[in-house]
Amino acid sequence: VRPYSRRRPLALSVHGPPGVGKSLAHALLAGALYNASEGADCPGSACPAYRVVFGADYTAQEREVQLVALRNALTGHLSRHPQALVVIEEYDKMDCAVRGVVRSLLDGGLTTTARGRYASSGGGGGVGEAALAEAFVGAAGAPAAQVSFADAIFVLESNVGYLEIYGDAEAQAANGSAALSAELYDRKLKDAVFGAWLRQGCESRVDSQRLLGLIDAFVPFAPLGRAHLEALAAKRLEARAARERALGRFELSWARGELEAHLASRAEYDADGGWAIEGAKEMDTIFSRHVSRPLRAWADARGIAEADAAAEAEADTARWRRRALEEAVAGALQVVTAAGREALHAAGALPPAGEEPSTGDAVTAGRNTVAPQEPLPHVRLEVVNGRVRAVDDDA
């Protein structure tokens, strides 16, 4: 038996409504793949092989120029980083010509030259493989060089299929039915993408089916409900309390359960009130308005200025906010395996089971911050008549 040798990139198609963790998931994946340390610039200098491309950016009127831009951007990046993680967001919005470029990449490589131009296939028909093969030709007739992308990973983001995902989530919430299997979800999402592409009518069924066949898995991200946003609010409050203590500014407490529910209630939900329309995207604004502002007003009234070390402490606790969001959305994923979570724990993308930012740690390890000798002032966040107030807490 000949050993298995993969000859094309790994391709994952992720689906779901906005704000449910799709972008966070591939950011965590990049951090694990490239062993980026906590707080590292990723995407950025710590993960140079991590590249995010927006499919909608390449559908402008100057299509030929856009095709060359996409082709050069992707092949140049993959040539420099054969083990790249390439994310194409909103890939369902790409036109047929751009999809053809992606199809060629996923099919194991694309012939490249130092310089190239797009040769229009002409007419109003679809863009097939033959047209793509002639699309990029050397400006001076130089021989093309074959670049292999077999070790790369492609993550294709799409909102197509979110109605099917919502429907399954509603069924589970209404009657307690089990989530669909990975195989059924794979089929439903693949059919949804195929139908959307057929309605465009700009390429043959064979080309559409071929691209879908090059995608290894279709992964659904379920919508977030109130319970998920409450869990996220709780984690962020814990992180804020740890930050203020580390800065030696004040001790923070709150009406546990009540404040989290109030913060989650400020998000916009669908007509039935079950699912957050923007997922967790609104939580930054909500937290700033209903937590940070009252605390700032309370501190200003008592002459407690922002500490010079604020930025440093913020960097220390940013990892917990990041992990808190991942924990919140992980509960809404329809396909999360125990092995997958174990891999995230092992890679450091999740804290060890049961480990959370301790509100009792006054000093961050490795820092020169010394626990304050004087007792810190205490402030408590309370919900009064539908508004959050920061009041002195003498407890």
Side-chain angles (χ1 to χ4, degrees):
V1 178
R2 299 174 62 183
Y4 173 76
S5 177
R6 189 177 183 90
R7 297 183 178 179
R8 59 182 179 82
L10 174 67
L12 305 175
S13 180
V14 298
H15 301 255
V20 296
K22 300 189 298 293
S23 296
L24 177 63
H26 60 69
L28 289 171
L29 175 60
L33 282 174
Y34 306 121
N35 197 29
S37 60
E38 295 289 353
D41 186 20
C42 184
S45 58
C47 301
Y50 177 30
R51 178 70 180 268
V52 179
V53 176
F54 293 89
D57 291 346
Y58 297 94
T59 58
Q61 292 181 353
E62 297 179 357
R63 182 171 301 176
E64 296 182 0
V65 175
Q66 293 293 327
L67 278 174
V68 171
L70 174 63
R71 177 259 190 182
N72 288 343
L74 290 180
T75 56
H77 181 73
L78 289 163
S79 298
R80 293 188 298 273
H81 306 286
Q83 295 181 333
L85 171 61
V86 177
V87 179
I88 302 179
E89 296 191 348
E90 299 183 337
Y91 84 97
D92 52 293
K93 297 182 180 180
M94 297 187 301
D95 64 15
C96 292
V98 177
R99 284 206 301 271
V101 174
V102 175
R103 182 169 58 247
S104 295
L105 290 172
L106 296 183
D107 208 13
L110 184 69
T111 55
T112 63
T113 57
R115 298 172 60 192
R117 62 180 177 84
Y118 176 66
S120 174
S121 58
V127 180
E129 295 302 315
L132 281 168
E134 298 175 357
F136 301 105
V137 296
Q146 185 73 25
V147 178
S148 174
F149 310 135
D151 293 331
I153 298 176
F154 280 75
V155 176
L156 311 176
E157 274 195 34
S158 172
N159 290 328
V160 169
Y162 77 92
L163 291 179
E164 288 80 358
I165 296 173
Y166 266 121
D168 183 54
E170 291 285 358
Q172 293 181 63
N175 53 38
S177 61
L180 295 180
S181 67
E183 291 78 10
L184 285 176
Y185 253 127
D186 194 270
R187 191 177 309 152
K188 290 183 70 172
L189 293 174
K190 183 182 293 186
D191 289 345
V193 175
F194 184 56
W197 286 351
L198 283 183
R199 287 191 292 273
Q200 287 184 337
C202 59
E203 68 181 358
S204 69
R205 293 173 64 94
V206 173
D207 283 340
S208 295
Q209 290 172 332
R210 184 171 179 180
L211 177 52
L212 290 174
L214 294 171
I215 298 174
D216 296 276
F218 291 77
V219 183
F221 280 62
L224 300 183
R226 290 179 184 268
H228 301 111
L229 298 193
E230 288 180 16
L232 175 58
K235 293 289 186 179
R236 293 194 63 161
L237 286 167
E238 293 286 357
R240 181 60 180 265
R243 171 184 182 267
E244 299 298 350
R245 180 180 292 107
L247 291 173
R249 298 182 73 225
F250 52 77
E251 294 281 357
L252 173 62
S253 64
W254 60 93
R256 293 182 181 271
E258 181 183 7
L259 181 56
E260 290 90 338
H262 175 76
L263 295 175
S265 72
R266 311 308 297 177
E268 184 179 5
Y269 294 86
D270 59 17
D272 297 328
W275 311 113
I277 293 176
E278 292 294 322
K281 286 186 175 182
E282 292 183 276
M283 291 305 291
D284 280 342
T285 301
I286 290 171
F287 201 84
S288 174
R289 182 174 298 158
H290 298 280
V291 174
S292 296
R293 286 183 184 177
L295 287 176
R296 187 181 304 112
W298 177 88
D300 288 345
R302 285 151 186 80
I304 303 175
E306 286 288 337
D308 293 338
E312 183 179 31
E314 183 73 9
D316 288 337
T317 57
R319 58 175 180 162
W320 294 111
R321 293 199 307 276
R322 181 185 182 91
R323 288 174 174 176
L325 180 56
E326 196 284 334
E327 289 282 8
V329 301
L333 298 182
Q334 299 295 335
V335 182
V336 178
T337 65
R341 291 191 64 79
E342 289 176 3
L344 287 175
H345 282 296
L350 289 178
E355 180 181 332
E356 297 180 356
S358 172
T359 56
D361 293 337
V363 181
T364 302
R367 301 294 184 187
N368 295 322
T369 306
V370 179
Q373 301 300 316
E374 296 292 331
L376 294 177
H378 286 246
V379 58
R380 180 176 177 82
L381 292 173
E382 295 181 347
V383 181
V384 180
N385 296 326
R387 300 184 64 179
V388 179
R389 293 178 54 194
V391 298
D392 291 327
D393 184 8
D394 298 328

